[in-house]
Amino acid sequence: MNEIIFKHNKIYIENVINFDLAQTLDCGQAFRWSQYNGRWCGIAGGKYIELYQENNSIVIEGASQEEFEDFWRHYFDLERDYGVIIESVSVNATVKAAAEFGGGIRILNQEPWEALCSFIISQNNNIPRIKGIIERLCECFGEKIEGGYTFPTAQKIAMLTLEDLAPLRCGFRAKYILDAARLVSSGDIILENLIDIFFLDVTVGI
C-alpha cells in the first residue's frame, strides 16, 4: 500500500503503484484538472491543489494534513488495492492487455452532484468543449477561491433559468442540467442513496 509522508508543507505519496496522474486526471472521468509545466492543478470539494509525479512518488501542494485525511485520501481512492482488482479482472488476454494499458487509472470519488452535472454536459461532446462549458459554469455561478472557482451547488443552479445558462453555450444540455438540479435540490433524488445502491451491486457481483 501507499506510504503517506507529511513534510515541508507538502504531502508525499510514496511507493505509488497503479496511480498515474495523467491517466487518472485526463481520462474523461473528471474535467477540472489541467496540466501546466509538469504539474496538475485542479479544484475538487471546494479545494484547490497542485500535484506532480516523480518516479514512484506523487507530491501534493496546497493541502494541509487535515484536509488530506478529511478529503483527498478518499478522493484519490488511496485505500483501495488496485493491483488486486487488475489481477481479478485479467481473466483473458484481451482484458489483461486493457488492464495493463490503463493500469494507472484510479476511480476518483467525486462529489455526486458535480459528477452528475458533468456527465450531463459530456453527452455527445468532446473533452476540450466539456472542460470549457464546466469552466464557464463555475466562473458564472461558483464561488471564487484561490486557484479558481468552486463547482456551483444544485441549489444554486436550481434557481436559474435557461436564459441564465445561455452564456455557458451548452446547447440542449441546459434543460437537463436545470431538471437535474431541481430534482436534487428538492430532495426528489438523493444521490448518496444511488452511491450505496451502486456499491451494493458491485459487491454482490464480485
Side-chain angles (χ1 to χ4, degrees), residues 71-158:
F71 181 78
W72 294 110
R73 182 188 287 272
H74 177 65
Y75 180 82
F76 289 118
D77 209 24
L78 293 177
E79 296 303 305
R80 196 179 309 277
D81 190 336
Y82 278 64
V84 171
I85 297 173
I86 290 172
E87 183 178 356
S88 68
V89 301
S90 299
V91 294
N92 60 49
T94 301
V95 177
K96 181 179 180 181
E100 290 176 350
F101 179 79
I105 297 177
R106 302 188 77 85
I107 303 301
L108 302 175
N109 290 302
Q110 301 180 69
E111 194 279 322
W113 160 245
E114 178 176 344
L116 173 61
C117 189
S118 299
F119 177 78
I120 293 171
I121 292 170
S122 73
Q123 297 306 293
N124 195 29
N125 222 339
N126 59 66
I127 290 180
R129 189 163 184 270
I130 296 166
K131 286 186 173 182
I133 293 172
I134 291 176
E135 181 178 359
R136 291 190 290 275
L137 176 70
C138 296
E139 289 177 349
C140 289
F141 306 112
E143 296 182 5
K144 183 73 172 68
I145 63 170
E146 179 183 358
Y149 295 83
T150 63
F151 198 92
T153 65
Q155 290 72 22
K156 178 67 176 289
I157 299 300

Side-chain angles (χ1 to χ4, degrees), residues 9 14 16 19 37 62 65-66 76 79 93 97 101 110 134 136 146-147 149 153 170 176 193 204-205:
N9 296 319
E14 304 283 0
V16 168
F19 188 6
N37 299 321
Q65 182 173 348
E66 181 180 6
F76 289 118
E79 296 303 305
F101 179 79
Q110 301 180 69
I134 291 176
R136 291 190 290 275
E146 179 183 358
Y149 295 83
T153 65
C170 60
Y176 297 103
N193 290 349
V204 171

Side-chain angles (χ1 to χ4, degrees), residues 10-26:
K10 297 180 181 180
I11 300 165
Y12 296 82
I13 307 172
E14 304 283 0
N15 304 316
V16 168
I17 301 174
N18 302 122
F19 188 6
D20 181 276
L21 291 180
Q23 287 189 359
T24 298
L25 301 179
D26 205 33

